[in-house]
């Protein structure tokens, strides 16, 4: 009862969704009003989902059935059309023969025509003339009494056909592998012109080579006369030939159908078109009969081997022992099973429906079945068909991973195509395409970032987008390529370095090329380092790469800011009056004390006087704050490659102040100002320089001998303040 109600509800729902006046928004609105709660909506959702899955299965089934019917119909049409052509040709030949000779001479003419047909068959077996169409069709088929002579000539010319095939295919670039197929020979060939199927526009000149089991299409090379380039290879059992009715100026055309594509070719004239249609159908029919015979022979039980009597063969026991290794006793492979017979068509359907997993499952099933079995000609032919489908499947999977496809969905969107390529044994190609796809995705994500007014805000967004993408790519790569060869991981490391270069280009363009302050640059580099360290969670350390890529830009920033400080210090030195600072208000004095304390000068209280006076020069105080600020920001940018750059910059900045104090002390004649200069020199040498040296050692992890030497040189001034020689 419940089952009947469920079926009736499903059919009612299907009719409602299929109605012509169905509106999704109105339907959802009514459903929401009528439902009692979330449970009803969930049940209704499940019913709609089940209906959708059923519809999808029916659609797949109909597509497959229609495809098979289309192939069968096209095949029957081609057979009927070929028979009509042959019948028309036969009637025309007989009519012309009867009209051209008297009735009394008809028997003699028939005998002469039979002999000419036999001679023509022998000449056609040798490869034909040099005119470009090597196939010759005589009249032997119209005179049954001479058919045996034609067959004898064809058998004698098999070796000549093979030589002709080898000679012709040497003129086609990229088809050497065709020469390795045993028993393959050339049946017919000629020039054609290919037209576009939809608008009938001329595309290119081609040359067709019809073999006994396939059709090779090669494009014409205009710069190399008589040479062609390989274009496509179509097995005859998957090919349908359709005549195209003449519609002037489009005439002498025929169409080749290869699911899921079709191509239209134009012959030189109506006679050559008729020859193409006839020989294609005859070759297809002969190939089908040959393969049916091979399958029947493979399925038939093998009789016992012939054993000679003991009287005529005294070595009978030795022959019986050697018999299992004789090449005549060859194990047969059963290819008559339905799933093997339909395997090429099933692969075409899977590729057309984008069922990549199903296609690879079929290939695995075939490989497992043929594993350890011999490889007779029927198996080789099956392998050739399957290899062509594998090539098509690989091309589709490669296109799925190409950057031209949509890059949305993140790295997981590529998992399906990558996993199937790995199953097909294309691990290296899968790795290359995956990384190329992700590189395009990262590049697109960086380009789509909006450049905000605040540099630090943009860098935060840039680091989040880039390092998140890199982390997701690394995790997806580890998932997809787990268990593969280690070379893929090396390729990922190389790709990561390339991606980091892309990130640093965008980073440097925004931070360093725009001449941001050193503090802003230091904050941006700090943010990039913090994001880079997050990759250590998955065992990927790229910190050294970002250091190597940023070192030149940071050196340039340090050098530029050093020059700014030196110019500012020299400018203040030129206006130096050696007077005490008056900050006017206690608030200003308290603020200065906090600033000096943040710079590391803890004993600044001893340099303050009554009220708001400071017993130091404005030049020395400004120099102290600017130098300590430069050191703090530079330490945020520090890594070992910048050690000497930072140290040399500090020494150059300090030397400017040291030289100015030394010069002023030697040149000043006023005793009060001279005492004030000594007090500033004492603050500079005994307070500021030790603080700089200590902070540098804390930030770098080791002392700086250059700073120690610079501080020790200040003793000369205290020992001999009247000297007129420079201490530097």
């Amino acid at each position: 009862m419940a089952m009947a109600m469920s079926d009736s509800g499903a059919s009612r729902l299907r009719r409602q969704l299929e109605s012509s006046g169905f509106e999704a928004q109105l339907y959802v609105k009514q459903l929401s009003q009528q439902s009692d709660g979330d449970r009803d909506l969930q049940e209704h959702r499940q019913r709609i989902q089940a209906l959708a899955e059923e519809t999808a299965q029916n659609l797949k089934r109909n597509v497959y059935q229609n495809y098979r019917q289309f192939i069968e119909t096209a095949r029957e049409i081609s057979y009927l059309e070929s028979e009509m052509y042959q019948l028309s040709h036969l009637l025309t030949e007989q009519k012309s023969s009867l009209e051209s000779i008297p009735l009394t001479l008809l028997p003699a003419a028939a005998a002469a025509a039979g002999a000419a047909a036999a001679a023509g068959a022998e000449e056609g077996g040798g490869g034909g003339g040099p005119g470009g169409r090597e196939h010759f069709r005589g009249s032997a088929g119209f005179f049954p009494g001479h058919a045996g002579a034609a067959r004898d000539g064809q058998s004698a010319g098999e070796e000549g056909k093979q030589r002709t095939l080898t000679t012709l295919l040497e003129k086609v670039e990229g088809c050497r592998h065709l020469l390795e197929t045993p028993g393959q020979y050339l049946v017919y060939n000629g020039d054609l012109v290919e037209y576009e199927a939809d608008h009938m526009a001329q595309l290119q000149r081609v040359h067709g080579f019809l073999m006994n089991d396939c059709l090779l299409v090669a494009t014409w090379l205009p710069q190399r006369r008589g040479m062609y380039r390989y274009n496509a290879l179509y097995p005859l059992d998957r090919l349908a030939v359709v005549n195209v009715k003449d519609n002037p100026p489009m005439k002498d055309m025929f169409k080749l159908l290869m699911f899921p594509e079709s191509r239209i070719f134009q012959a030189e004239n109506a006679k050559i078109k008729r020859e193409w249609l006839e020989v294609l159908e005859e070759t297809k029919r002969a190939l089908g009969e040959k393969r049916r015979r091979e399958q029947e022979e493979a399925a038939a039980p093998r009789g016992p081997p012939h054993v000679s009597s003991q009287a005529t063969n005294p070595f009978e026991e030795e022959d019986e022992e050697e018999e299992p290794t004789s090449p005549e006793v060859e194990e047969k492979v059963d290819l008559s099973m339905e799933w093997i017979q339909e395997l090429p068509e099933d692969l075409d359907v899977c590729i057309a429906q984008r069922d990549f997993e199903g296609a690879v499952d079929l290939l695995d099933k075939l490989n497992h079945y043929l594993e350890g079995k011999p490889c007779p000609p029927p198996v080789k032919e099956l392998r050739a068909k399957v290899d062509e489908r594998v090539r098509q499947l690989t091309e589709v999977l490669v296109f799925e991973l190409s950057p031209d496809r949509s890059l949305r969905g993140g790295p997981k969107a590529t998992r399906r195509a990558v996993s199937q390529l790995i199953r097909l044994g294309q691990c290296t190609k899968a790795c290359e395409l995956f990384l190329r796809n992700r590189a395009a995705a990262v590049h697109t994500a960086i380009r789509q970032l909006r450049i905000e007014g605040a540099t630090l805000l943009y860098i935060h967004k840039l680091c989040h987008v880039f390092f998140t993408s890199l982390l997701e790519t690394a995790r997806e790569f580890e998932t997809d390529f787990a268990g593969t060869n280690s070379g893929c991981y090396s390729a990922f490391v190389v790709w990561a370095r390339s991606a980091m270069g892309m990130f640093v280009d965008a980073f440097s363009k925004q931070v360093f090329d725009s001449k941001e302050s050193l503090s802003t640059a230091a904050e941006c580099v700090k943010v990039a380092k913090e994001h880079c360290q997050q990759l250590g969670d998955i065992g990927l350390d790229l910190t050294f790469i970002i250091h190597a890529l940023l070192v030149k830009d940071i050196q340039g920033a340090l050098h530029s800011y050093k020059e700014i400080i030196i110019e500012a210090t020299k400018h203040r030195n030129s206006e130096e009056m050696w007077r005490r600072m008056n900050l006017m208000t206690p608030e200003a004095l308290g603020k200065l004390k906090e600033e000096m304390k943040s710079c590391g000068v803890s004993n600044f209280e001893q340099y303050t006087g009554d009220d708001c006076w400071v017993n130091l020069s404005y030049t020395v105080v400004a120099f102290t704050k600017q130098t300590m600020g430069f050191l703090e920001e530079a330490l945020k940018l520090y890594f070992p490659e910048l050690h000497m750059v930072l140290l040399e910059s500090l020494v150059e900045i300090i030397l400017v102040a040291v030289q100015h104090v030394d010069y002023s002390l030697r040149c000043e004649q006023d005793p009060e100002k001279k005492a004030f200069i000594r007090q500033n020199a004492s603050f500079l040498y005994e307070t500021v320089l030790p603080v700089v040296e200590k902070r540098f050692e804390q930030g770098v992890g080791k002392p700086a001998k250059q700073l120690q030497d610079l501080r020790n040189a200040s003793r000369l001034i205290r020992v001999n303040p009247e000297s007129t020689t420079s201490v530097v």
Side-chain angles (χ1 to χ4, degrees), residues 253-281:
M253 292 184 173
F254 60 92
K255 181 184 291 188
L256 299 181
L257 301 177
M258 305 76 60
F259 183 81
E261 61 174 325
S262 63
R263 301 177 71 171
I264 295 180
F265 299 99
Q266 183 184 46
E268 294 182 9
N269 51 52
K271 178 182 178 182
I272 295 178
K273 170 189 173 181
R274 184 168 61 251
E275 290 179 359
W276 269 108
L277 293 173
E278 291 177 358
V279 75
L280 276 169
E281 290 305 323

Side-chain angles (χ1 to χ4, degrees), residues 75-91 137 142 241 243 274 277-282 285 289:
R75 187 175 298 157
E76 292 298 328
I77 291 175
S78 63
Y79 288 161
L80 292 175
E81 192 170 12
S82 175
E83 292 175 358
M84 293 298 295
Y85 269 110
Q86 292 177 5
L87 182 60
S88 175
H89 184 72
L90 176 63
L91 293 175
R137 297 174 55 82
F142 306 144
V241 186
N243 180 33
R274 184 168 61 251
L277 293 173
E278 291 177 358
V279 75
L280 276 169
E281 290 305 323
E282 290 179 4
R285 189 178 297 110
E289 294 176 357

Side-chain angles (χ1 to χ4, degrees), residues 414-430:
T414 63
R415 182 180 299 177
R416 186 184 180 206
V418 168
S419 60
Q420 302 313 313
L421 276 176
I422 293 174
R423 291 179 62 189
L424 288 174
Q426 301 284 344
C427 181
T428 303
K429 180 177 291 186

Side-chain angles (χ1 to χ4, degrees), residues 566-624:
I566 291 176
E567 289 299 323
T569 304
K570 287 182 178 180
H571 178 72
R572 288 192 298 267
N573 291 343
S574 66
E575 299 177 353
E576 179 61 71
M577 302 298 295
W578 293 113
R579 296 175 181 176
R580 292 192 303 163
M581 292 179 62
N582 184 4
L583 298 178
M584 307 300 291
T585 61
E587 291 78 9
L589 180 60
K591 182 179 179 182
L592 178 61
K593 290 179 180 180
E594 291 296 327
E595 290 177 350
M596 298 303 289
K597 186 177 180 180
S598 65
C599 291
V601 181
S602 57
N603 60 343
F604 188 71
E605 291 284 349
Q606 68 184 24
Y607 294 100
T608 58
D610 298 335
D611 296 332
C612 301
W613 289 91
V614 177
N615 297 324
L616 292 173
S617 169
Y618 168 77
T619 302
V620 174
V621 172
F623 169 79
T624 302

Side-chain angles (χ1 to χ4, degrees), residues 170-206:
E170 284 178 352
K171 300 180 180 180
V172 182
E173 298 179 356
C175 67
R176 286 287 182 181
H177 60 283
L178 297 176
L179 302 178
E180 301 175 359
T181 305
Q184 191 176 64
Y185 59 87
L186 184 67
V187 177
Y188 194 84
N189 76 97
D191 291 327
L192 298 168
V193 180
E194 183 176 5
Y195 279 77
E196 203 268 332
D198 295 331
H199 306 290
M200 299 303 291
Q202 183 173 333
L203 292 179
Q204 57 186 345
R205 290 179 58 184
V206 299

Side-chain angles (χ1 to χ4, degrees), residues 208-233:
F209 296 89
L210 177 62
M211 270 72 77
N212 57 327
D213 59 349
C214 61
L215 174 65
L216 171 67
V217 178
T219 57
W220 181 63
L221 295 176
Q223 68 275 17
R224 299 175 61 185
R225 186 173 183 180
M227 294 297 292
Y228 306 93
R229 179 180 289 113
Y230 171 80
N231 179 261
L233 182 69

